[in-house]
Amino acid sequence: MNTHNEEQLKHIKSKIVKIQIIGAPGTILLGLGLYGMFGAQGNAFHPLLNDLNIVYGLLGVGATIALWQLFTLIPLWRKQSRLVKESSATT
């Protein structure tokens, strides 16, 4: 593998990790929203999770962040896969 591909691969991997870290709160919000919607049934561990307006907000913000994360990661995964295939073909 040439050094340019190695550098690109390392850069892509670091971007993927950063995006996953940024997307973690979205997943947490989505999980709390789903818990408030389906699991709590009026007896949540926090009173805000009993309010459907708050729950809908959590679901909306969490889903938005998760979708942004997905649409940002897909091109990076494709580029990473292409670089790995190129490097394995040359060796």
Side-chain angles (χ1 to χ4, degrees), residues 22-56:
I22 293 170
T27 306
I28 292 169
L29 291 175
L30 197 57
L32 285 172
L34 289 172
Y35 166 74
M37 179 72 78
F38 300 112
Q41 298 179 357
N43 192 20
F45 64 87
H46 195 282
L48 287 177
L49 294 175
N50 292 325
D51 183 6
L52 278 181
N53 290 326
I54 300 292
V55 170
Y56 290 145

Side-chain angles (χ1 to χ4, degrees), residues 47-75:
L48 287 177
L49 294 175
N50 292 325
D51 183 6
L52 278 181
N53 290 326
I54 300 292
V55 170
Y56 290 145
L58 290 173
L59 288 171
V61 172
T64 303
I65 294 172
L67 286 173
W68 167 82
Q69 181 183 8
L70 179 68
F71 288 126
T72 307
L73 285 174
I74 287 174

